[in-house]
Every structure is written in structure tokens, then in C-alpha cells.
């Protein structure tokens, strides 16, 4: 007999096939609990990887662990927190945070153990006899389940859930063997997505390294001043660099180059938010017009192609919301300053995002501007204590942009164009894989497709 999930308070993933059960999370786990902060707070953090890792919410991403910014604590402080240490197979769930970090979940990677968690992260330890960690992770990170989790929010603008909330989560659970099979299928897609992400990180690092050498450190200019051939550069490209510096308002720059206000080299527009109280202007349908937020930019990668919300066409006309062209650089400049992305197709943005539309003269390229804004020191725009509140569209329009020789700009753009094209292609593939992954789980859970069928779908992607 199937259970109709639409009649009870549960995550909306369809009806349960025969042999599946609807259970509370507390009934299939050994431990659910949040962490703590050691005495002394962040003053006790270390960078020595021989000590205990101390996991914070910024390390927990959806379906993967981010070691960037991982800190460590001494054995003595770890002893204080032994009740909040993690074990292999434990799930980590962010139980407080903003719209970006809240409710993210991953499995703790064994290579960082031993480790403890702080008070913003919950440890969920499945009972291995009845629940597979990989299956539970797939369930908790599904977009529809994330919406379900967020419905328990008790924290207002800064979101928060309690241990009691987590214990009460309703979980659709098949026999253990089927859990493992489903987890294997979905993790194989994760592996493909993660590989694309790693490749893209490497590709962007290559582009940023070239940019830094040419336009930040001015290595070719310095080499020519010393009578050397610029390393790794052909003679024709080297000839495009000057062999001396000159003073500018912002310090020494290669002779003949100059700084220009951003608004003199591109048309800078600011997005807009229709009245929130009038919900008819907003949509969740991809048939409408994409509407980018800072949160969307935070998870987009180099190119932004998907948004959480959309605007109906009537909103664009009525409120004169600017439509941002394809391959246009976006910059967040309010509250969270310095997120940069390039649009993949036309879209709109909210008022916290500026877009830099290049004109037909094209003194610079989108690729150059993207890398320039990624490397820019935004503390130049105001005091470090007030920059988040002080930055406005007038300041953004006056931002100094370094303009090199036009032929050199063409050379640079041609050199990095293939890198950006590969990044974009990989992102598109990952988006397709993510869509397949998120579509498979409810179909598997409803019995619409079986594990063997899903395995064939994955095999055909190889």
C-alpha cells in the first residue's frame, strides 16, 4: 500500500513505493547534535594540520566539503569538545546562517579527521544498519527537501533550526541495499560535477595567472627594462609591452597605459527589485526572465546561467528593469562586495548588482574586465569598516580601470578566450548533470523508475 505524502507534513517527493517507509530522522540515526566553541573563541585557532580540524559552516557546502579556510585547534581544546567530534560517515548540516550557507550539508571527508564542529554545524550520524550516509545526503540536499528544511526556520532573517526540528524531519527510506544503489548512482554524477569544477578552478587559475603577470605585476615590462626576453612569451607579443614605467594617480604603470573611470569605457547599469509585497511580479518558472541575486552569484562560478527567482515580463516593463545582455560582467556592490560573474544569456538583476555593458569601441573585453574586477582591491572604495554600507552606484561608476594598449588587449583576449569557452562548456555540462541528479531522486523514490533504469541513464552519459 502506498502512502500519499501530500496529505501529511512532509517533503514533497511523491508517493512511497511498496517496501519503503516514512520515518523520523531520529529513528534512523545514532546521534544528532550541534558543536561548540572552545574556550578562547577564534583566538585559539591554529594553522597546523597536525592538530584537530575545527569545522565551521563556511566549510560545509552542498554535497562537498570545502577545506579553504579550515582551522585547527590544539589537543587540549579538542578534549574540551570531544562530545562534538565527528566520525567517518557523519553528515554535517549547517543549522544557522544566511540564505546562502543555511541548510547546506555534506559528508565529512575522512582525510581531515580527527575533527570537531562549531555550534553552527550539526552532526548527523546515521545508524549504518538501517541508513546509508550517501542516501541520506542525497535526500537532505535535494532542492525540494532544502525548501522543506527551511520551512522549520525559527531564526528570522538569520535562519536557524533546532535539534528538535532535525529529529522530526520525515525521511522516505527504502531497504538498505536500495539506498546504497541510489547513493552510488547519484554520487557518480557528483564525481563528474566535481571533476568539472576542479578543471574549471584550474582553468580560471591559469587565466588569472596570465592576467596578474601582465597587468598587475607587469612582468614583461620589468623584463624588457632589464634587457631580458619576457619568460614564456613570443617576440611579437613582447613587442606590444612598453619598456618603461610612468607615474599615474595610482602609482607606476607601463608607459602609454592609463586609468579611466569605469563609466567612460562601458555603460554601467544597476538592477531593480519590484515591490516584494506584490508577489505577482515574481516567478519560479524558467519560462520567465532570470533575475540574479548576490546569492545566485555566490554559487554560479565564472558564468551565471541559473537563478533562484524569475521576473514575469510585465514586471520588466512596468518597473523599467534593465535586461542585461549575454556575456556581460556583473559585480555585487552592496553588503557583499566583489562577487563577479559573466552572464550566460540575457537576464536581470536586483539593485545590489551592477552590470558593465561594453560598447562597440571595446577598449577592454569581458574576459579582461572579469579578471580585473576579481583582482581589484575593493578597500580602495571606502574605509574597511564602512565599505559594505558606503559603496554606491556613483562610486562603482568612478572605479579606476587600467587600460593597456589596444593591440595588447586583443592579444590577451584571444589568448584567454579558449580558457573561458572551456569553463563555460564545463559549467553547462555540470548544470545538465545536476538537473539529471535532482530529477532522478524523486523518480526513484516514487517508483516511477527503478535503480536498473537509472544506472542505464548514467551509463549513457559516459
Amino acid at each position: 500500500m502506498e502512502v500519499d505524502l501530500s496529505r501529511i507534513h512532509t517533503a514533497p517527493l511523491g508517493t512511497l513505493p511498496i517496501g519503503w517507509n516514512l520515518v523520523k530522522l531520529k529513528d534512523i540515526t545514532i546521534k544528532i547534535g550541534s558543536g561548540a566553541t572552545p574556550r578562547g573563541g577564534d583566538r585559539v585557532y591554529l594553522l597546523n594540520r597536525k592538530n584537530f580540524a575545527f569545522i565551521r559552516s563556511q566549510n560545509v557546502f552542498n554535497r562537498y566539503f570545502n577545506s579553504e579556510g579550515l582551522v585547527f585547534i590544539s589537543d587540549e581544546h579538542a578534549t574540551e569538545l570531544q562530545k562534538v567530534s565527528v566520525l567517518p560517515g557523519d553528515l554535517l548540516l549547517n543549522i544557522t546562517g544566511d540564505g546562502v550557507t543555511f541548510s547546506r550539508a555534506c559528508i565529512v571527508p575522512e582525510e581531515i579527521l580527527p575533527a570537531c564542529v562549531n555550534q553552527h554545524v550539526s552532526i548527523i550520524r546515521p545508524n549504518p544498519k538501517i541508513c546509508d550516509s550517501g542516501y541520506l545526503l542525497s535526500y537532505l540536499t535535494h532542492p525540494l527537501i532544502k525548501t522543506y528544511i527551511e520551512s522549520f526556520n525559527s531564526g528570522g532573517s538569520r535562519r536557524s533550526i533546532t535539534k528538535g526540528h532535525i529529529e522530526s524531519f520525515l525521511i522516505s527510506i527504502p531497504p538498505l541495499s536500495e539506498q546504497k544503489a541510489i547513493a552510488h548512482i547519484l554520487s557518480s554524477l557528483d564525481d563528474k560535477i566535481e571533476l568539472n569544477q576542479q578543471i574549471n578552478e584550474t582553468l580560471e587559475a591559469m587565466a588569472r595567472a596570465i592576467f596578474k603577470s601582465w597587468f598587475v605585476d607587469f612582468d614583461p615590462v620589468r623584463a624588457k627594462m632589464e634587457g631580458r626576453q619576457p619568460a614564456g612569451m613570443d617576440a611579437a607579443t613582447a613587442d606590444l609591452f612598453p619598456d618603461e614605467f610612468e607615474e599615474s594617480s595610482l602609482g607606476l604603470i607601463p608607459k602609454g597605459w592609463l586609468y579611466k573611470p569605469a563609466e567612460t569605457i562601458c555603460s554601467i547599469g544597476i538592477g531593480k527589485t519590484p515591490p516584494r509585497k506584490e508577489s505577482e511580479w515574481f516567478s519560479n518558472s524558467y519560462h520567465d526572465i532570470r533575475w540574479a541575486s548576490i546569492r545566485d552569484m555566490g554559487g554560479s562560478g565564472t558564468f551565471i546561467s541559473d537563478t533562484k527567482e524569475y521576473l514575469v515580463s510585465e514586471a520588466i516593463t512596468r518597473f523599467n528593469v534593465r535586461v542585461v545582455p549575454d556575456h556581460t560582467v556583473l559585480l555585487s556592490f552592496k553588503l557583499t562586495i566583489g562577487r563577479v560573474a559573466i552572464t550566460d544569456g540575457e537576464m536581470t538583476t536586483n539593485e545590489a548588482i551592477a552590470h558593465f555593458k561594453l560598447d562597440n569601441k571595446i577598449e577592454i573585453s569581458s574576459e579582461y574586465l572579469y579578471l580585473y574586477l576579481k583582482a581589484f582591491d575593493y578597500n580602495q572604495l571606502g574605509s574597511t569598516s564602512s565599505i559594505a554600507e558606503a559603496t554606491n552606484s556613483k562610486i562603482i561608476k568612478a572605479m579606476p580601470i587600467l587600460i593597456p594598449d589596444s593591440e595588447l588587449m586583443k592579444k590577451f583576449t584571444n589568448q584567454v578566450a579558449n580558457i573561458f569557452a572551456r569553463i563555460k562548456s564545463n559549467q553547462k555540462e555540470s548544470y545538465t548533470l545536476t538537473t539529471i541528479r535532482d530529477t532522478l531522486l524523486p523518480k526513484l523514490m516514487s517508483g516511477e523508475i527503478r535503480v536498473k533504469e537509472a544506472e542505464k541513464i548514467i551509463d549513457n552519459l559516459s
Side-chain angles (χ1 to χ4, degrees):
M1 179 178 179
E2 293 186 343
V3 179
D4 187 352
L5 301 188
S6 66
R7 295 183 180 178
I8 56 179
H9 181 58
T10 187
L13 286 185
T15 56
L16 295 180
I18 295 173
W20 290 47
N21 293 304
L22 188 65
V23 299
K24 290 186 176 179
L25 186 56
K26 68 178 182 179
D27 296 328
I28 57 173
T29 53
I30 296 172
K31 176 185 178 70
I32 295 176
S34 58
T37 299
R39 286 179 297 171
D42 57 11
R43 295 190 301 277
V44 306
Y45 294 165
L46 307 170
L47 297 177
N48 188 344
R49 288 185 172 269
K50 293 182 180 179
N51 299 106
F52 275 72
F54 188 61
I55 298 168
R56 299 174 292 170
S57 56
Q58 56 260 54
N59 302 124
V60 179
F61 280 66
N62 270 333
R63 301 185 68 83
Y64 75 95
F65 186 91
N66 186 356
S67 294
E68 184 176 345
L70 182 64
V71 296
F72 299 82
I73 55 177
S74 68
D75 293 353
E76 179 184 354
H77 285 111
T79 300
E80 297 174 26
L81 304 178
Q82 58 182 329
K83 291 184 179 180
V84 296
S85 60
V86 293
L87 298 178
D90 282 357
L91 270 70
L92 307 175
L93 173 69
N94 285 347
I95 56 175
T96 66
D98 58 20
V100 176
T101 60
F102 177 68
S103 79
R104 295 195 304 211
C106 69
I107 295 177
V108 62
E110 292 191 31
E111 60 268 22
I112 71 158
L113 298 180
C116 305
V117 301
N118 75 0
Q119 71 274 22
H120 302 297
V121 180
S122 178
I123 300 169
I124 301 175
R125 185 168 299 153
N127 181 340
K129 295 181 180 178
I130 54 177
C131 181
D132 178 74
S133 294
Y135 173 80
L136 185 58
L137 177 68
S138 296
Y139 188 92
L140 292 178
T141 55
H142 190 277
L144 293 177
I145 302 301
K146 285 182 65 62
T147 300
Y148 166 72
I149 292 173
E150 292 180 1
S151 72
F152 288 85
N153 173 35
S154 60
S157 58
R158 182 167 176 78
R159 303 175 186 187
S160 174
I161 51 176
T162 66
K163 177 182 178 181
H165 290 149
I166 300 170
E167 290 177 336
S168 70
F169 289 168
L170 291 169
I171 309 296
S172 307
I173 186 165
L176 187 60
S177 60
E178 195 160 356
Q179 290 179 49
K180 292 180 180 293
I182 291 173
H184 176 73
I185 290 168
L186 300 182
S187 66
S188 66
L189 290 171
D190 284 340
D191 291 342
K192 295 176 185 290
I193 293 168
E194 183 179 0
L195 178 59
N196 280 345
Q197 182 176 329
Q198 291 173 351
I199 292 172
N200 279 359
E201 288 173 356
T202 300
L203 289 170
E204 181 165 321
M206 290 168 55
R208 291 170 77 167
I210 298 170
F211 177 88
K212 184 175 185 294
S213 176
W214 290 19
F215 304 113
V216 177
D217 297 334
F218 309 127
D219 290 333
V221 178
R222 298 183 190 281
K224 293 179 73 171
M225 289 176 66
E226 295 171 3
R228 296 183 289 107
Q229 174 70 18
M233 182 177 292
D234 60 82
T237 302
D239 286 344
L240 298 175
F241 286 89
D243 57 6
E244 59 181 307
F245 291 102
E246 62 184 4
E247 285 288 348
S248 76
S249 58
L250 294 175
L252 289 174
I253 58 173
K255 187 174 183 179
W257 298 12
L258 70 162
Y259 283 103
K260 286 188 177 182
E263 64 180 345
T264 65
I265 57 176
C266 51
S267 173
I268 300 177
I270 309 298
K272 189 176 291 187
T273 300
R276 274 292 187 185
K277 293 181 180 179
E278 301 172 14
S279 59
E280 65 268 25
W281 308 120
F282 300 89
S283 163
N284 292 317
S285 172
Y286 66 90
H287 295 295
D288 291 314
I289 300 148
R290 291 173 293 174
W291 185 63
S293 66
I294 292 178
R295 178 180 181 180
D296 295 321
M297 292 180 68
S300 71
T302 306
F303 292 88
I304 180 167
S305 60
D306 189 34
T307 60
K308 187 175 182 181
E309 292 183 280
Y310 301 77
L311 298 182
V312 299
S313 57
E314 292 84 353
I316 306 298
T317 303
R318 178 159 182 173
F319 300 103
N320 194 29
V321 182
R322 298 190 186 204
V323 177
V324 184
D326 180 34
H327 209 67
T328 298
V329 176
L330 304 182
L331 170 70
S332 66
F333 71 96
K334 290 184 179 179
L335 299 180
T336 301
I337 297 173
R339 287 185 177 169
V340 188
I342 303 174
T343 58
D344 180 9
E346 288 187 343
M347 63 185 64
T348 58
T349 77
N350 67 18
E351 67 281 1
I353 298 171
H355 64 266
F356 295 70
K357 182 180 177 182
L358 300 177
D359 59 27
N360 293 329
K361 292 182 292 185
I362 310 185
E363 293 183 81
I364 59 174
S365 63
S366 292
E367 291 81 4
Y368 175 89
L369 183 59
Y370 172 86
L371 294 166
Y372 184 89
L373 294 178
K374 291 284 282 190
F376 190 80
D377 178 9
Y378 291 92
N379 290 326
Q380 296 180 32
L381 304 181
S383 67
T384 56
S385 61
S386 62
I387 185 171
E389 292 77 24
T391 305
N392 55 41
S393 59
K394 183 177 180 180
I395 292 174
I396 294 300
K397 291 177 180 179
M399 282 178 64
I401 308 294
L402 180 64
I403 308 298
D405 172 78
S406 60
E407 289 302 314
L408 179 59
M409 176 60 66
K410 291 178 183 177
K411 189 77 172 181
F412 172 78
T413 301
N414 288 337
Q415 183 153 339
V416 300
N418 286 339
I419 294 176
F420 278 80
R422 287 180 63 193
I423 291 173
K424 188 175 186 179
S425 176
N426 288 339
Q427 280 195 213
K428 284 181 177 291
E429 182 182 62
S430 292
Y431 179 78
T432 299
L433 294 172
T434 300
T435 301
I436 292 171
R437 184 191 67 201
D438 294 341
T439 301
L440 277 178
L441 183 59
K443 289 182 180 293
L444 286 163
M445 296 179 67
S446 67
E448 183 178 338
I449 65 173
R450 309 307 295 174
V451 168
K452 293 296 183 183
E453 295 174 88
E455 289 174 342
K456 289 180 181 177
I457 292 173
I458 303 304
D459 290 341
N460 290 335
L461 294 174
S462 302

